[in-house]
Amino acid sequence: MEFHFETKVVGAETKGGEVTVKAETKEGVKTFTGDKVLVSVGRRAVTQGLGLEALNVKIDKGNVIVDDKFQTNVPGLYAIGDLIDGPMLAHKAMEEGIAFAEMLAGQPGHVNYDAIPSVIYIWPEVASVGKTEEQLKEEGREYRVGKFPFVASSRAKSLDENEGMVKILADSKTDRLLGVHIFGPRASDMIAEAVTTIEFVGSAEDIARIVHAHPTLSEAMGEAARAAYFGKAIHI
């Protein structure tokens, strides 16, 4: 898989069952050929046609503005999910709905936006939660990295799915878990352990000392945590 950054697609055409994409780069115009082209340009909130303008509801860059209780600037009018700021994920919207219902019932509803997992359902899968290395570098935060490849996982080998790895980011001083990124089989399920640890302000050591059943894919999480905390995984 090859990535081309700072590359702007300016056109595409099909001929004889082949697709040619023209793009502008720093070096000049480039062309790419293939059987198919997948276009992904992101998503945005659909706020038009809802009558929000007539009510003078505040909108910023297409998103409805709400306070910490999901209320808009119009008293009694609330918004959650894809209409407001944050990742456009079904589970994020659902948790906001639950939190809002709890608030209506007089309970302390809460959503931890630092512990919302993101999953790309390709195969092998990609899943992540928390910070990326790029974000931590921008923040100037010191961190440790622990990695473990699925090629060293006995369960991944037995499934013939040993591509990918688990990467764990932990604070250099406190060992607090800052981010987990998984590329590999069942990453969408494995990320739940990392989400739980971040939610309860856990550390890489916490995951490292959890007994993971053998042989399972989850052992890769434990090994990556050992690499982050102890400096080295055991089975590699």
Side-chain angles (χ1 to χ4, degrees), residues 96-134:
E96 287 177 336
I98 292 172
F100 180 57
E102 289 174 333
M103 291 176 187
L104 290 178
Q107 300 176 18
H110 171 70
V111 178
N112 183 357
Y113 291 99
D114 292 327
I116 296 178
S118 177
V119 181
I120 302 176
Y121 296 96
I122 55 176
W123 193 264
E125 294 178 328
V126 180
S128 64
V129 65
K131 303 283 188 177
T132 64
E133 283 199 68
E134 290 75 14

Side-chain angles (χ1 to χ4, degrees), residues 68-70 80-81 84-87 89 91-103 108-117 199:
D68 57 358
K69 290 183 172 55
F70 305 109
I80 62 169
I84 67 175
D85 195 22
L89 299 170
H91 44 278
K92 175 259 193 185
M94 185 178 74
E95 289 304 318
E96 287 177 336
I98 292 172
F100 180 57
E102 289 174 333
M103 291 176 187
H110 171 70
V111 178
N112 183 357
Y113 291 99
D114 292 327
I116 296 178
E199 178 66 35

Side-chain angles (χ1 to χ4, degrees), residues 17-232:
E18 187 177 71
V19 184
T20 301
V21 176
K22 184 183 293 185
E24 294 178 351
T25 69
K26 286 183 176 180
E27 292 75 31
V29 176
K30 268 189 177 183
T31 58
F32 303 88
T33 59
D35 299 323
K36 296 181 184 297
V37 173
L38 174 64
V39 180
S40 178
V41 294
R43 293 175 290 168
R44 61 184 177 184
V46 180
T47 53
Q48 300 299 317
L50 299 179
L52 300 181
E53 297 85 354
L55 296 174
N56 294 318
V57 175
K58 288 185 178 179
I59 297 176
D60 181 44
K61 297 178 181 178
N63 292 330
V64 175
I65 305 302
V66 297
D67 60 19
D68 57 358
K69 290 183 172 55
F70 305 109
Q71 182 169 242
T72 68
N73 61 297
V74 179
L77 186 62
Y78 301 82
I80 62 169
D82 292 355
L83 281 179
I84 67 175
D85 195 22
M88 289 183 168
L89 299 170
H91 44 278
K92 175 259 193 185
M94 185 178 74
E95 289 304 318
E96 287 177 336
I98 292 172
F100 180 57
E102 289 174 333
M103 291 176 187
L104 290 178
Q107 300 176 18
H110 171 70
V111 178
N112 183 357
Y113 291 99
D114 292 327
I116 296 178
S118 177
V119 181
I120 302 176
Y121 296 96
I122 55 176
W123 193 264
E125 294 178 328
V126 180
S128 64
V129 65
K131 303 283 188 177
T132 64
E133 283 199 68
E134 290 75 14
Q135 290 173 324
L136 294 176
K137 288 175 181 177
E138 288 179 4
E139 295 175 4
R141 191 163 187 174
E142 296 182 5
Y143 63 94
R144 295 193 305 270
V145 181
K147 300 179 181 179
F148 189 79
F150 281 107
V151 71
S153 164
S154 57
R155 182 60 184 274
K157 286 182 178 179
S158 68
L159 294 172
D160 196 24
E161 295 286 353
N162 56 16
E163 186 177 8
M165 63 179 290
V166 176
K167 179 169 76 172
I168 285 181
L169 307 173
D171 188 277
S172 293
K173 298 177 181 178
T174 65
D175 192 44
R176 178 177 176 178
L177 195 65
L178 301 176
V180 176
H181 306 273
I182 308 172
F183 170 58
R186 308 315 312 175
S188 59
D189 297 315
M190 289 179 60
I191 199 66
E193 181 177 6
V195 174
T196 301
T197 305
I198 288 179
E199 178 66 35
F200 290 97
V201 198
S203 64
E205 182 186 9
D206 289 331
I207 295 179
R209 296 194 182 281
I210 291 173
V211 179
H212 296 84
H214 173 77
T216 60
L217 296 172
S218 66
E219 288 179 290
M221 181 78 75
E223 290 281 30
R226 289 190 186 99
Y229 180 68
F230 296 109
K232 185 174 177 58

